[in-house]
């Protein structure tokens, strides 16, 4: 306490409110009658909500059962550091900060980082290539992630068809007739009105939308499978064309330099916690946020239509009920549905549908080698790998760190960070899914699938003899046994799932939802969706609190102005039950 009877926390909160208000609108935000907020969950959504609320003067306490950062955090390999070095850096998976993200980059700029003018945002570095690795002895495809200046300066339908067709033919070496089909389907999606996207394409599978039946294996693997299984871990056969189409549209616009704030593929220049999560925690503490780490959220207490308390368990196993004026539930949906009890579901029946959202496994495996492994300056996608593998070589993107000098025992020179997106498909070595194998067998199977792609040319790219050690995400347990468990499942997007997604505002006046399963501009499980949903939850809370603080900006998705008139016409077509004007082989209109 200072001599005026104010705590440091109160002073910091008041200062944060004033700075937030003056920085955004020139009017101090002020406190919302000393309102307290309990943020439940410390992933990207929870930390974003805490950040926005603390800047606006709310008294915020964040409860997190395990570690800050959620699925975006680093996971150091315990006990591997020697001689003053840090433990080997592990990741839940590699982090892609797509250039079409808008809300998350804004948050990164507002997190101070020593020596960086733009905070953590300056820690983003571009990947310049995509390696599309093919098996069967065929040459790998190295695809530059920049397009020539001036490409598609005007988005006429004819130009779009010609350029997308040429891009697909050149980048993926698909036959002209298949490249033409993909270009035509993209034109259909880009010119579809929002009503059609939500009413027709949301209920159409991505394979059906892309007319995958009868196409080559490469067409299905690269363009159909790649945008569903690899990017979002959604089973391809049931994946929503609305979600997959939206991602494809954003990627195309990003490559064309439209609606993007940076290059398509960016990663951090240090392990995630060093570059982002730890500085974020420090900044939030400076803003006055209090953290309850190791506290598990057990239940929500509903009293007369409002949340009156949260039942928690602290790190010592003691049960405690904590109260606040407002609550932001930022738990992942696979954990949130366990605390959405009967009383809450009665108060907001819409959450019954949200509780049924599908989740799948998508998890990282770190392979540590005693020599550099620069497979490509970016991400690699292994087209024919049954486990839908992708990877990135980390050392090339961490110029401020030397593996031998900074991590482990001095023998590790690089880490190939691999994402396993399909845990249910039999592999090539043991003929069984990843869930049925031990950790050691998973490593052997992954190496076999990687080598099947990378070593087809007769040269050894990944030498198993140089593998020092490996690390599987600790959220995965019990694999190879009767009850495999993943503590960090990913929400996925089968047809019709958009309409089961909740909004940030619930029917309970003091409860708000934040997470990548909440309806957000980017309809996909991602850091951007989590950040956007948290901003929306904060704005709903500000409305409920009657706060005069500036609202958090939730950026709208870029819309090509050349297609706006076409979309208006398509809206009329859709209402009349007619197909999109460019749909040459129209699918049924729902």
């Amino acid at each position: 306490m200072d001599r005026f009877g104010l705590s440091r926390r109160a002073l910091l909160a008041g200062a944060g409110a004033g700075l937030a208000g003056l920085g955004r609108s020139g009017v101090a935000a002020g406190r919302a009658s000393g309102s307290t907020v309990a943020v439940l969950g410390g992933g990207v959504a929870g930390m974003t909500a805490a950040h926005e609320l603390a800047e606006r003067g709310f008294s915020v306490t964040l409860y997190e059962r395990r570690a800050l950062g959620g699925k975006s955090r680093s996971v150091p390999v315990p006990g591997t550091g020697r001689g003053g070095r840090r433990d080997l850096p592990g990741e839940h998976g590699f982090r892609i900060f797509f250039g079409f993200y808008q809300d998350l980059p804004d948050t990164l700029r507002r997190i101070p980082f020593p020596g960086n003018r733009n905070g953590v945002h300056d820690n983003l570095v571009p990947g310049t290539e995509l390696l599309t690795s093919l098996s069967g002895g065929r040459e790998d495809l190295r695809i530059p992630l920049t397009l020539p200046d001036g490409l598609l300066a005007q988005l006429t339908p004819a130009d779009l068809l010609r350029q997308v067709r040429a891009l697909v033919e050149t980048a993926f070496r698909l036959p002209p007739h298949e490249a033409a089909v993909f270009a035509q389907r993209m034109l259909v999606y880009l010119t579809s009105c929002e009503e059609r996207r939500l009413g027709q394409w949301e209920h159409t599978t991505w394979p059906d939308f892309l007319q995958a039946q009868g196409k080559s294996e490469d067409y299905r693997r690269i363009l159909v499978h790649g945008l569903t299984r690899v990017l979002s871990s959604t089973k391809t056969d049931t994946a929503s064309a609305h979600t997959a189409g939206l991602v494809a549209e954003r990627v195309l616009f990003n490559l064309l330099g439209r609606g993007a704030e940076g290059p398509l593929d960016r990663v951090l220049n240090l392990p995630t916690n060093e570059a982002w999560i730890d500085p974020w925690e420090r900044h939030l503490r400076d803003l006055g946020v209090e953290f309850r780490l190791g506290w598990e959220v057990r239940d929500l207490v509903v009293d007369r239509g409002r949340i009156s308390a949260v039942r928690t368990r602290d790190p010592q196993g003691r049960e405690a009920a904590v109260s606040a004026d407002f609550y932001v539930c930022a738990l992942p949906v696979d954990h949130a549905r366990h605390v959405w009890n009967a009383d809450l579901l009665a108060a907001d029946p819409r959450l019954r549908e949200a509780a049924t959202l599908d989740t799948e496994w998508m998890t990282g495996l770190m392979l540590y080698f005693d020599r550099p492994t620069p497979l490509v300056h970016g991400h690699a996608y292994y087209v024919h790998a049954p486990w839908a593998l992708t990877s990135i070589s980390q050392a090339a993107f961490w110029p401020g760190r030397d593996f031998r000098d900074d991590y482990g025992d001095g023998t590790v020179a690089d880490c190939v960070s691999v994402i396993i997106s399909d845990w249910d498909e039999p592999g090539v070595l043991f003929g069984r899914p990843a869930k049925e194998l031990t950790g050691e067998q998973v490593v052997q199977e992954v190496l076999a699938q990687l080598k099947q792609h990378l070593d087809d040319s007769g040269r050894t790219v990944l030498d198993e003899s140089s593998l020092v050690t490996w690390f599987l995400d600790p959220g995965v347990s019990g694999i190879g046994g009767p009850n495999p468990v993943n503590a960090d499942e990913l929400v996925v997007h089968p047809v019709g799932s958009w309409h089961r997604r909740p909004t940030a505002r619930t029917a309970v006046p003091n409860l708000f939802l934040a997470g990548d399963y909440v309806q957000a501009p980017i309809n996909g499980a991602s850091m951007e969706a989590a950040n956007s949903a948290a901003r929306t939850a904060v704005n709903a809370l500000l409305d409920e609190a009657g706060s005069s603080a500036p609202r958090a900006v939730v950026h709208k998705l870029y819309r090509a102005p050349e297609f706006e008139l076409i979309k208006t016409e398509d809206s009329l077509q859709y209402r009349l039950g007619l197909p999109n004007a460019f749909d040459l082989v129209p699918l049924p209109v729902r």
Side-chain angles (χ1 to χ4, degrees):
M1 302 287 284
D2 74 356
R3 64 192 181 91
F4 296 101
L6 292 175
S7 66
R8 177 176 179 272
R9 176 190 175 96
L11 285 168
L12 286 169
L19 289 172
L22 290 170
R24 294 166 184 266
S25 65
V27 179
R31 293 180 66 90
S33 304
S35 296
T36 58
V37 182
V39 175
L40 314 178
V44 171
M47 294 184 76
T48 300
H51 192 161
E52 299 290 345
L53 289 164
E55 284 188 341
R56 289 158 177 79
F58 285 80
S59 179
V60 180
T61 303
L62 184 149
Y63 299 84
E64 167 56 41
R65 69 188 175 94
R66 194 168 45 173
L68 295 176
K71 288 188 282 291
S72 299
R73 73 193 185 283
S74 295
V75 188
V77 186
T80 55
R82 299 285 190 278
R85 301 178 185 86
R86 308 176 190 216
D87 285 339
L88 287 170
E91 304 276 340
H92 173 76
F94 54 80
R95 307 265 64 77
I96 300 179
F97 295 79
F98 286 115
F100 55 79
Y101 288 177
Q102 299 285 345
D103 290 334
L104 183 62
D106 172 68
T107 296
L108 298 182
R109 288 189 181 90
R110 289 155 45 208
I111 304 170
F113 193 90
N116 287 0
R117 180 178 179 182
N118 297 302
V120 166
H121 189 279
D122 285 348
N123 291 338
L124 295 179
V125 292
T128 58
E129 295 178 295
L130 168 68
L131 175 65
T132 304
S133 185
L134 307 170
S135 64
R138 289 180 294 169
E139 184 181 357
D140 293 338
L141 308 175
R142 290 178 179 264
I143 305 167
L145 293 179
T146 55
L147 295 182
D149 291 341
L151 181 64
L152 286 180
Q154 291 296 316
L155 275 176
T156 66
D159 284 341
L160 181 71
L161 283 171
R162 182 173 63 255
Q163 297 288 0
V164 173
R165 175 177 173 176
L167 174 65
V168 172
E169 281 188 58
T170 304
F172 301 117
R173 299 176 190 167
L174 291 176
H177 69 280
E178 292 190 343
V181 170
F182 179 76
Q184 183 263 337
R185 301 314 296 166
M186 285 306 303
L187 178 60
V188 169
Y189 191 86
L190 265 65
T191 58
S192 288
C193 63
E194 295 306 307
E195 299 99 318
R196 189 182 298 280
R197 292 184 180 197
L198 289 173
Q200 183 177 10
W201 304 141
E202 174 62 25
H203 299 281
T204 302
T205 68
W206 185 236
D208 283 347
F209 180 82
L210 285 190
Q211 300 174 355
Q213 187 172 4
K215 300 296 189 300
S216 67
E217 184 181 6
D218 283 352
Y219 181 94
R220 289 182 281 110
R221 284 278 182 176
I222 296 172
L223 300 177
V224 182
H225 196 74
L227 279 167
T228 55
R229 207 64 177 122
V230 173
L231 285 184
S232 64
S233 197
T234 303
K235 293 187 184 301
T236 302
D237 291 345
T238 60
S240 160
H242 169 220
T243 297
L246 185 67
V247 173
E249 177 186 62
R250 295 300 109 191
V251 169
L252 179 59
F253 282 152
N254 200 160
L255 289 171
L256 298 176
R258 292 185 172 220
E261 71 96 47
L264 177 64
D265 182 2
R266 297 173 297 181
V267 296
L268 291 166
N269 62 1
L270 291 167
T272 304
N273 279 19
E274 294 182 43
W276 174 26
I277 303 301
D278 291 346
W280 202 4
E281 178 188 357
R282 290 192 293 269
H283 183 55
L284 295 186
R285 289 186 185 276
D286 287 343
L287 289 174
V289 175
E290 292 190 1
F291 291 87
R292 298 288 184 267
L293 299 181
W295 287 56
E296 181 183 4
V297 175
R298 305 280 291 173
D299 199 13
L300 301 176
V301 180
V302 181
D303 182 25
R304 288 175 287 185
R306 298 176 65 86
I307 303 298
S308 62
V310 178
R311 293 195 178 101
T312 64
R313 177 180 292 166
D314 72 13
Q316 287 72 45
R318 296 171 300 201
E319 303 283 341
V322 298
S323 299
D325 297 313
F326 301 99
Y327 302 84
V328 177
C329 182
L331 301 171
V333 69
D334 52 322
H335 297 287
R337 55 187 164 213
H338 295 299
V339 301
W340 292 345
N341 54 41
D343 290 339
L344 180 60
L345 296 179
D348 189 348
R350 294 175 302 173
L351 294 181
R352 296 182 189 278
E353 290 242 77
T356 69
L357 286 168
D358 302 87
T359 57
E360 294 283 349
W361 290 30
M362 188 178 193
T363 302
L365 170 67
M366 310 293 112
L367 301 173
Y368 299 96
F369 292 90
D370 64 8
R371 65 195 68 180
T373 55
L375 303 178
V376 66
H377 192 260
H379 290 94
Y381 166 38
Y382 302 92
V383 175
H384 300 101
W387 288 1
L389 302 179
T390 48
S391 76
I392 188 169
S393 298
Q394 298 281 26
F397 293 96
W398 295 348
R401 291 283 179 266
D402 183 284
F403 264 87
R404 288 195 177 94
D405 291 342
D406 297 329
Y407 301 109
D409 61 2
T411 60
V412 172
D414 205 346
C415 171
V416 176
S417 175
V418 182
I419 287 289
I420 304 171
S421 297
D422 193 328
W423 286 75
D424 298 307
E425 185 73 15
V428 300
L429 186 62
F430 295 100
R432 286 184 287 161
K435 291 178 182 176
E436 296 181 9
L437 302 178
T438 65
E440 186 67 48
Q441 289 173 324
V442 166
V443 174
Q444 294 177 44
E445 180 69 53
V446 165
L447 285 170
Q449 294 185 31
L450 295 181
K451 290 173 67 66
Q452 193 176 64
H453 285 73
L454 297 172
D455 295 351
D456 268 351
S457 60
R459 61 190 178 93
T460 299
V461 178
L462 282 184
D463 186 352
E464 291 182 53
S465 67
S466 68
L467 181 68
V468 177
T469 188
W470 56 271
F471 182 62
L472 184 63
D473 190 293
V476 170
S477 61
I479 57 173
N483 298 302
V485 173
N486 187 347
D488 299 293
E489 295 193 20
L490 188 74
V491 67
V492 295
H493 312 87
V495 290
S497 58
W498 170 264
H499 303 289
R500 288 187 281 152
R501 294 177 181 275
T503 59
R505 178 183 281 277
T506 73
V508 177
N510 65 339
L511 176 66
F512 308 88
L513 304 179
D516 59 8
Y517 67 94
V518 176
Q519 289 186 2
I522 292 290
N523 177 32
S526 63
M527 298 181 290
E528 175 76 353
N531 186 280
S532 301
R535 290 164 177 251
T536 304
V538 166
N539 289 343
L541 189 155
L542 294 174
D543 291 344
E544 183 65 28
S547 172
S548 61
R551 273 32 181 181
V553 175
V554 181
H555 292 84
K556 295 182 178 180
L557 297 182
Y558 171 79
R559 296 167 67 105
E562 298 96 326
F563 287 166
E564 287 305 292
L565 180 58
I566 300 175
K567 285 185 176 182
T568 300
E569 294 174 349
D570 188 58
S571 179
L572 177 60
Q573 292 280 101
Y574 179 74
R575 292 173 189 174
L576 293 173
L578 300 173
N580 178 279
F582 298 100
D583 208 344
L584 304 180
V585 185
L587 297 169
V589 178
R590 292 178 62 90

